Amino acid sequence: MAIESFNPYTGRVVRRFRAFSWTKTERILAQAAREALTWRTTTFAHRAERMHRAATLLRERQDELARLMAIEMGKPVADGRAEVEKCALTCDYYADHAEEFMRDELIETQAQRSFISHEPLGVVLAVMPWNFPFWQVVRFAAPALMAGNVGLLKHASNVPQCALALEAIFHDAGFPPATFRTLLIGSDLVEKLITDDRLKAVTLTGSELAGSKVAATAGAHIKKTVLELGGSDAFIVLADADLELAAKTAAQARMINAGQSCIAAKRFIVEKPVVKEFINQLKTHLLAFRTGDPLDEATQYGPLARPDLADELTEQVEDSVRQGAKVELYGGQSESGNALFRPMILSRVKPGQRAYHEELFGPVALILEARDADDAIRLANDSPFGLGGAIWTCDVKRGEALARRVEAGAVFVNSMVKSSPEMPFGGVKKSGYGRELSHLGIREFVNQKSIWIGGGTPLKDGTKTE
């Protein structure tokens, strides 16, 4: 696939880039491996100063970065600015907390002193997607760099300018150049990188297929991986929920990033007594969203990132309708090859339909009718994915109890699923494994080393002097 900036709103290629050769890629890897030996010895204060500076630069360049996202993958500029601010907050968060998260953990044993030391692994490769071009990278890079690792970024081929802009921010913030480099490479060189002994670990956010390939290669070479893959999040609405608030939030949860989010609500599992009213209210809220040029401040959702993604979503919808799903809100593409996809609602979603089993990565809301709360949990868990989920009920204690039964990496009660630096992020089942963010995220790419210190001098009979 070509490495190019393609504007999905105008349908024009903005800029093309020549892919790096293996010779150039290998040279960057060698530089990163050398830098890893030095960077791991720097103090947390030294790293934090630079990470805080990166946060400052993100805020200073907020408008410029939002514009790049609008041009390269269709994100409205208002949403782009919010994404950049979230990146800055996360940089500040790890600058402030990394030392605490990486502190030695004392363990009581028979030793004079024993503890767990968290030590960086070295060079970590990040294979990242286009839907949140800055956030997906920063939530890896901020903890990895603060832990003393160095990062190589293989970004999606349609957001090269975003990838290079992020590299510039880290370099301008004072990080040594080799601690963070963007690799403009195709997927063919990813496997070659993973097999190289100088690379120590890989993190990937993307499709189930891409994750399985990276995991297989990394596993063959005994390398640590973290995978954040697809999601088909359940949004459970019980009969006692605040229906007005639930429906309004449901529309927001489905339309985030034009529906192109792993943790966007996709399956709306509604108890039978309120399902018709919920559909009516959801329809009203979805129709109120404004589309247009992503560079226009008034635009609330833009096109999908590429025309082929809209074509694929259309096929999933049409196949599901042929298999018995009912269209409650007509939208979709105006014609094949058009990246704009207007919101849709499908009901009567049943097993055997693509909509029931697959992730629909775009603004299509799926309605599943539940007999009761137990049936809602059954439907929520009847999915190959397990990333996020939400439960809406006026009985908060009941909501918490039900949340514990949902098979997902995160469940929100009476709130929209979202990620934040304080809480771990990741999934179960086909949604992947490992965690990003929080204290768990910074410890994914470290050697959790046990250190045991005995006391005294051993004697011939095995006893020790005091």
Side-chain angles (χ1 to χ4, degrees):
M1 182 178 287
I3 298 176
E4 61 183 22
S5 298
F6 172 84
N7 186 326
Y9 182 73
T10 64
R12 297 193 184 105
V13 174
V14 178
R15 191 175 170 191
R16 288 189 173 92
F17 295 82
R18 184 186 296 275
F20 291 2
S21 65
W22 171 248
T23 300
K24 182 173 182 177
T25 303
E26 193 275 337
R27 184 167 66 248
I28 292 171
L29 172 60
Q31 293 166 351
R34 286 194 296 273
E35 181 59 44
L37 299 175
T38 302
W39 185 247
R40 66 182 291 130
T41 66
T42 57
T43 65
F44 285 104
H46 179 86
R47 299 172 203 164
E49 182 184 0
R50 282 144 186 80
M51 193 60 73
H52 278 309
R53 177 62 181 153
T56 299
L57 291 175
L58 282 163
R59 292 185 174 102
E60 289 176 357
R61 300 176 188 179
Q62 203 168 34
D63 290 341
E64 169 195 336
L65 302 179
R67 185 175 184 279
L68 279 181
M69 284 186 273
I71 290 169
E72 289 200 312
M73 50 72 61
K75 189 187 300 288
V77 286
D79 292 349
R81 284 196 295 272
E83 179 173 335
V84 176
E85 175 57 28
K86 190 173 183 178
C87 292
L89 285 170
T90 301
C91 287
D92 282 335
Y93 178 80
Y94 279 106
D96 291 336
H97 295 285
E99 185 170 12
E100 168 197 345
F101 293 157
M102 296 282 285
R103 187 171 291 137
D104 292 344
E105 294 179 62
L106 292 175
I107 306 292
E108 281 200 27
T109 66
Q110 294 175 329
Q112 187 181 75
R113 184 166 175 259
S114 51
F115 58 93
I116 301 169
S117 172
H118 303 285
E119 301 176 5
L121 295 180
V123 184
V124 183
L125 173 66
V127 181
M128 292 289 132
W130 45 261
N131 55 337
F132 292 90
F134 290 94
W135 170 238
Q136 306 274 19
V137 179
V138 166
R139 74 185 192 200
F140 145 74
L145 292 175
M146 284 304 302
N149 292 303
V150 302
L152 297 178
L153 169 64
K154 189 281 180 211
H155 218 324
S157 57
N158 60 326
V159 289
Q161 293 190 83
C162 290
L164 292 169
L166 198 46
E167 178 187 75
I169 282 170
F170 284 119
H171 291 178
D172 292 349
F175 287 91
T179 58
F180 186 90
R181 288 297 306 272
T182 284
L183 302 174
L184 297 181
I185 59 174
S187 54
D188 55 320
L189 292 190
V190 170
E191 183 175 359
K192 203 165 183 179
L193 274 170
I194 295 173
T195 63
D196 194 295
D197 286 342
R198 289 168 293 187
L199 189 87
K200 303 303 180 185
V202 190
T203 180
L204 176 140
T205 298
S207 69
E208 182 186 333
L209 177 61
S212 65
K213 288 181 177 179
V214 163
T217 304
H221 293 270
I222 325 296
K223 305 243 177 120
K224 174 71 183 286
T225 53
V226 168
L227 302 179
E228 195 267 279
L229 308 178
S232 190
D233 285 10
F235 189 104
I236 297 171
V237 181
L238 301 182
D240 70 340
D242 179 336
L243 202 62
E244 185 177 344
L245 180 59
K248 183 178 181 180
T249 309
Q252 295 168 339
R254 179 63 283 206
M255 291 303 294
I256 184 171
N257 206 35
Q260 301 168 113
S261 170
C262 318
I263 54 170
K266 299 184 177 83
R267 296 179 299 138
F268 297 88
I269 301 170
V270 187
E271 271 198 282
K272 188 174 182 178
V274 295
V275 68
K276 286 185 180 177
E277 180 58 26
F278 177 81
I279 291 173
N280 288 337
Q281 291 195 33
L282 179 61
K283 189 183 299 186
T284 299
H285 290 302
L286 289 176
L287 287 170
F289 277 84
R290 296 186 301 275
T291 190
D293 187 341
L295 292 171
D296 187 336
E297 294 289 344
T299 296
Q300 293 178 297
Y301 74 96
L304 300 194
R306 299 193 313 265
D308 63 295
L309 298 171
D311 290 343
E312 182 181 346
L313 184 59
T314 297
E315 285 181 20
Q316 289 175 300
V317 168
E318 291 177 347
D319 286 350
S320 298
V321 171
R322 280 193 292 269
Q323 294 163 333
K326 178 187 175 184
V327 179
E328 298 280 357
L329 173 62
Y330 286 88
Q333 282 178 303
S334 58
E335 59 183 353
S336 178
N338 190 330
L340 179 63
F341 197 106
R342 295 182 184 276
M344 296 187 72
I345 300 175
L346 298 183
S347 64
R348 298 181 188 168
V349 176
K350 304 289 184 183
Q353 299 169 6
R354 293 183 67 184
Y356 189 90
H357 300 285
E358 298 178 6
E359 177 181 25
L360 271 62
F361 213 59
V364 181
L366 309 174
I367 307 294
L368 287 77
E369 187 178 296
R371 294 186 302 274
D372 51 29
D374 286 338
D375 192 41
I377 298 298
R378 179 190 67 79
L379 288 167
N381 291 339
D382 190 23
S383 168
F385 301 105
L387 193 56
I391 297 174
W392 289 78
T393 172
C394 285
D395 186 339
V396 176
K397 281 192 175 180
R398 183 190 188 201
E400 181 180 332
L402 292 171
R404 294 178 184 275
R405 295 169 57 191
V406 177
E407 297 168 353
V411 182
F412 285 55
V413 178
N414 295 332
S415 187
M416 187 169 74
V417 177
K418 60 184 178 181
S419 58
S420 63
E422 302 88 356
M423 292 287 281
F425 182 82
V428 295
K429 302 195 284 189
K430 294 289 180 69
S431 289
Y433 51 75
R435 291 295 179 265
E436 296 178 297
L437 303 173
S438 81
H439 68 283
L440 297 181
I442 199 171
R443 292 181 180 180
E444 284 285 2
F445 296 117
V446 299
N447 174 17
Q448 298 175 0
K449 182 190 291 184
S450 296
I451 297 182
W452 174 291
I453 300 169
T457 305
L459 300 177
K460 287 182 180 179
D461 63 359
T463 61
K464 293 181 284 186
T465 61
E466 294 301 323

